[in-house]
Amino acid sequence: MAIKTVGVIGAGQMGNGIAHVFALSGYDVLLTDISQEALTAARSTIEGNLARQVGREKIAQADADAAVARIRTTTEIADLGASDLVIEAATEREEVKAKIFETLVPHLKPQAILTSNTSSISITRLASRTDRPEKFMGFHFMNPVPVMSLVELIRGIATDEETYETCLEVVEKIGKTASVAEDFPAFIVNRILVPMINEAVYTLHEGVGSVTSIDKAMKLGTNQPMGPLELADFIGLDTCLAIMNVLHDGLADTKYRPCPLLTKYVEAGWLGRKSGRGFYDYSGETPVPTR
């Protein structure tokens, strides 16, 4: 089926990035959130990011203006009912996502494709909470969405071929590259990445190295653009912990046990950049290690 209108659920970091990319690629986008303040902030972020792309001569001003004009916002999830494709990008909690689908499904047209930007939760299980498991799949973008070129496409056990082919075509049209993953906990990227971050936290927890030495060693020793603790702060420590718990619960292997220090930071509300403090303190001009 031809996709022309896209609904995006959640106006946070991932949601506004997804809206940005689709609008810039010519799709009409309806962005929804329970908070009008979040929608206002998302539009401001999108406009700022588009202006940055214009400034770097990545896109023309006319394209940026057209993209902004294609984005509408609403606090009413039922308004997404006319969308051809819906991408859920709400918080990484299964009960929240299930409730969203329960509310949305009665308003969707029969042929609409429903997807989730989940980074770790079972697509088959999420699909089973809807009326269209054959038209449901994982559509996992990397952060920051306008910059990162990869999209993980995850088929649930019931996802049909037409849905997969349509989503694959959409990924190509928005200028991204698809990597197809099977529906196992955390898929490909986070199955490999987040345990590495967790191991870095264990290395800190056990006193093998400081925050600075761990990040410096991984940046210079493995040529990574960010150290694992810096990256954890960027992702959000609560998200890292949630993914580790999905891996630990879903695969029942002790190698996926979340580090107690990671749990402690989340319990303290030290979630990384978004809370102003994680493995680094972001209250000043330059991030300062907290350990």
Side-chain angles (χ1 to χ4, degrees), residues 24 48-64:
L24 191 57
N49 288 338
L50 285 167
R52 193 173 297 112
Q53 287 179 299
V54 171
R56 293 175 178 170
E57 300 184 346
K58 299 288 187 182
I59 62 172
Q61 184 64 56
D63 293 332

Side-chain angles (χ1 to χ4, degrees), residues 119-273:
S119 56
S120 60
I121 300 169
S122 167
I123 297 303
T124 298
R125 201 161 61 238
L126 289 175
S128 73
R129 306 294 291 271
T130 76
D131 67 341
R132 61 195 68 211
E134 73 286 353
K135 291 188 175 296
F136 190 106
M137 70 181 302
F139 213 126
H140 180 218
F141 288 82
M142 304 297 118
N143 185 31
V145 180
V147 176
M148 302 295 279
S149 62
L150 180 70
V151 176
E152 280 186 313
L153 286 181
I154 307 100
R155 301 170 75 155
I157 196 170
T159 306
D160 64 25
E161 189 64 23
E162 182 185 12
T163 298
Y164 165 70
E165 292 292 344
T166 300
C167 287
L168 184 61
E169 184 179 337
V170 168
V171 172
E172 293 170 355
K173 283 186 176 180
I174 61 175
K176 304 293 187 185
T177 300
S179 175
V180 181
E182 293 300 317
D183 187 21
F184 287 94
F187 319 129
I188 296 173
V189 173
N190 285 321
R191 171 79 175 261
I192 298 167
L193 174 65
V194 179
M196 182 199 75
I197 289 172
N198 192 56
E199 194 61 31
V201 182
Y202 266 116
T203 305
L204 177 66
H205 181 54
E206 294 170 4
V208 179
S210 65
V211 169
T212 301
S213 61
I214 292 167
D215 277 350
K216 184 188 298 181
M218 292 303 290
K219 282 194 285 189
L220 299 180
T222 63
N223 203 28
Q224 295 182 23
M226 275 186 177
L229 301 176
E230 181 186 4
L231 180 58
D233 276 0
F234 180 74
I235 294 169
L237 304 193
D238 52 338
T239 300
C240 292
L241 179 59
I243 293 169
M244 285 307 301
N245 280 326
V246 166
L247 283 165
H248 192 237
D249 294 345
L251 298 173
D253 192 323
T254 55
K255 72 179 180 180
Y256 297 116
R257 183 172 69 96
C259 179
L261 183 61
L262 178 60
T263 302
K264 190 73 70 180
Y265 270 54
V266 173
E267 289 174 344
W270 295 5
L271 307 181
R273 284 184 175 271

